[in-house]
Amino acid sequence: MELRQLRAFLAVAEELHFGRAAERLHIAQSPLSQTIRALERDLGAELFARTTRSVQLTAAGESLLGPARVIAAQIEIARTVVRSTASGVTGVVSVGFGGASGYTVISQLARRLEERCPGIELDLRPQTYTGEVLDLVSQGLLDMGIVGLPVPRDVATETVRQESLMVALPADHRLATREELDAADLTGERFVVYPAAHGSSVREMTFTVCHSAGFTPVIAREAPDPYSLLALVGAGVGVAVVVASTTDITVTGVRYVPLRNSPVLPIALAWRRDNPAPAVRRVVDVLRAHVN
């Protein structure tokens, strides 16, 4: 039994007229009749009772009608799925992110995709920071990720945010009432930072800011994500240099103070330039439309 035979059978069964069925299939009536006879020989049963005036389904034909329609519908579903995937309308895209900027960008991106491409699913990989994202993207183990710039040339990017720096302080800290802070004001403080193994741009920026002020930060604790980091700050374990997006997170006992003359940290979505997945291109298009 071939798919073309099932289509011919359905056309005749629904039209109950070989001429109209042939027109519907855009073929001549003689090849259609031959196709139906070949199907009947294959099944070992007559599917239609033919007279010079009418065509009717036999009992065998009636029994085939339901399964034939199911098969035709499944073929159409398969065709739609393949076409949608090939065009990027559907698919799964893995995205690594970490830090407050990552959560903010992912929230906005997911909202835009739900509006414009609901068939694309984001496979979210939290606590994946810049260094890890670049390694995984380069190895083809991750489609995309949120990173701090700059990045290697083999990685394409779209800038999504320009982050300034803040200082997260315990609410009862001696500097917590200040309107702004200089990096030098943090001399002698104990710091809560992201782990070195994560390759966090914010961690690197923390050391850069402190070194520019003439001191090396003393690391009190490391935290795997912004929520844990702020919890440690609120508990009085130390202070933390964070991006401005972190102020969207409210944690009891934590106050944010802007860092005067803060350097700007560009945040971008990164992906491998030669990634062939249509869904990745669709995500990039949605992101660019939102950014622009």
Side-chain angles (χ1 to χ4, degrees):
M1 185 186 303
E2 300 177 9
L3 180 59
R4 66 181 182 86
Q5 293 174 327
L6 280 181
R7 286 176 175 157
F9 166 75
L10 284 173
V12 177
E14 291 168 0
E15 297 291 343
L16 292 178
H17 191 283
F18 275 81
R20 290 194 297 270
E23 291 178 5
R24 174 171 154 181
L25 296 172
H26 305 290
I27 61 175
Q29 185 171 332
S30 178
L32 174 60
S33 297
Q34 293 172 11
T35 298
I36 294 298
R37 290 193 186 96
L39 177 60
E40 289 176 325
R41 286 195 298 272
D42 182 40
L43 295 175
E46 288 192 356
L47 302 174
F48 297 99
R50 308 166 178 86
T51 69
T52 55
R53 294 188 175 185
S54 69
V55 176
Q56 299 294 327
L57 282 165
T58 63
E62 289 282 2
S63 70
L64 178 61
L65 187 57
R69 283 173 171 163
V70 169
I71 293 171
Q74 290 176 334
I75 292 296
E76 191 57 36
I77 290 171
R79 180 181 289 110
T80 300
V81 168
V82 170
R83 288 174 176 171
S84 296
T85 301
S87 65
V89 176
T90 65
V92 178
V93 177
S94 57
V95 185
F97 64 99
S101 294
Y103 282 92
T104 299
V105 173
I106 288 299
S107 175
Q108 295 171 348
L109 178 60
R111 186 180 304 114
R112 292 290 175 176
L113 282 173
E114 185 63 27
E115 293 171 355
R116 299 185 55 182
C117 299
I120 294 179
E121 177 185 347
L122 295 182
D123 176 15
L124 301 180
R125 311 285 180 84
Q127 298 184 32
T128 309
Y129 292 79
T130 297
E132 295 170 310
V133 166
L134 294 176
D135 286 344
L136 293 172
V137 166
S138 295
Q139 296 174 48
L141 301 177
L142 187 70
D143 289 319
M144 319 179 86
I146 307 301
V147 300
L149 297 177
V151 299
R153 288 189 174 184
D154 63 335
V155 177
T157 62
E158 182 71 28
T159 301
V160 291
R161 293 182 71 85
Q162 298 285 348
E163 293 278 15
S164 60
L165 299 180
M166 311 277 289
V167 182
L169 300 155
D172 59 357
H173 192 279
R174 61 184 178 81
L175 300 174
T177 58
R178 299 274 289 274
E179 293 299 319
E180 282 187 318
L181 289 174
D182 290 312
D185 294 328
L186 302 176
T187 303
E189 295 291 337
R190 292 164 59 82
F191 285 77
V192 181
V193 296
Y194 295 118
H198 282 179
S200 165
S201 297
V202 177
R203 179 192 171 103
E204 292 180 6
M205 192 65 75
T206 299
F207 279 84
T208 298
V209 166
C210 293
H211 288 157
S212 67
F215 70 96
T216 299
V218 176
I219 307 303
R221 291 282 295 277
E222 293 184 338
D225 59 75
Y227 300 94
S228 300
L229 182 141
L230 293 174
L232 291 173
V233 170
V237 173
V239 303
V241 175
V242 299
V243 293
S245 292
T246 311
T247 59
D248 294 333
I249 303 174
T250 301
V251 176
T252 302
V254 175
R255 187 172 188 276
Y256 301 104
V257 180
L259 191 63
R260 187 181 289 114
N261 300 320
S262 164
V264 173
L265 178 60
I267 303 298
L269 183 68
W271 64 97
R272 203 170 67 185
R273 292 185 185 277
D274 60 353
N275 188 325
V280 170
R281 294 196 298 270
R282 185 58 64 92
V283 171
V284 173
D285 291 342
V286 169
L287 181 72
R288 284 175 173 162
H290 172 56
V291 171
N292 298 328

